[in-house]
Structures are given as structure tokens and as C-alpha cells.
Amino acid sequence: KLDTQYVEIKGMRREPEYFSKGTHFYKLESFYGFFKRRILLPVAVDVDKGKVVMKNGVLEIRIPRRKDQVIEIPVD
């Protein structure tokens, strides 16, 4: 999900296959299940031009900065 203030990433990591095979571990540091991250963006962005690519397990999010719009107000 993209908006002008935050990028929110939601997903699910599946349980590894070796868990279901009855393998026993002394210590295991692994995360699986639902996750959600919300990242505050430092600048306003142009949501319509954003691109998201997943390649080799790496999620890349590119969102260009929004160009400030100049509004001219005539003075009499």
C-alpha cells in the first residue's frame, strides 16, 4: 500500500518444510507467519509513479518525490 506519508508492507512467511518433518532443534531463530511494516517517508511522494519489484527475495520499492506545485494568485 502506498500513500504520501507512509509505505506499508504486509506479507506472510510460510513455515519451513523441515518443521513438518519432525526435525528437532536445540536453538532456532527463525520467523514465520504474518508480518506488517509501516515506514514513514521523509518527503511527499508521487504515488502514481511508484514501482515495486520482487527479485531474488529482495523487495525493491521506488517512489519518486512529488514535484511541488506552484499556484499563482493574481494580485489587483
Side-chain angles (χ1 to χ4, degrees), residues 3-4 9 11-12 23 27 30-33 38 44 47 67:
D3 67 30
T4 57
I9 303 167
M12 173 73 104
T23 305
K27 182 176 180 180
S30 180
F31 172 76
Y32 59 92
R38 188 171 179 166
V47 178
K67 305 284 186 196

Side-chain angles (χ1 to χ4, degrees), residues 15-31:
E15 182 178 295
E17 289 181 21
Y18 50 81
F19 281 9
S20 61
K21 294 181 181 178
T23 305
H24 298 284
F25 298 94
Y26 175 70
K27 182 176 180 180
L28 180 66
E29 294 182 12
S30 180
F31 172 76

Side-chain angles (χ1 to χ4, degrees), residues 4-67:
T4 57
Q5 294 181 349
Y6 294 91
V7 171
E8 188 173 274
I9 303 167
K10 297 179 188 178
M12 173 73 104
R13 291 186 184 136
R14 298 186 192 274
E15 182 178 295
E17 289 181 21
Y18 50 81
F19 281 9
S20 61
K21 294 181 181 178
T23 305
H24 298 284
F25 298 94
Y26 175 70
K27 182 176 180 180
L28 180 66
E29 294 182 12
S30 180
F31 172 76
Y32 59 92
F34 177 78
F35 68 91
K36 176 178 166 181
R37 302 288 184 273
R38 188 171 179 166
I39 303 165
L40 177 63
L41 300 174
V43 296
V45 295
D46 190 348
V47 178
D48 297 328
K49 296 181 181 176
K51 295 183 180 184
V52 179
V53 176
M54 178 78 138
K55 185 176 181 181
N56 297 327
V58 176
L59 180 66
E60 181 178 326
I61 302 172
R62 291 181 176 247
I63 313 167
R65 291 181 180 186
R66 187 173 66 201
K67 305 284 186 196

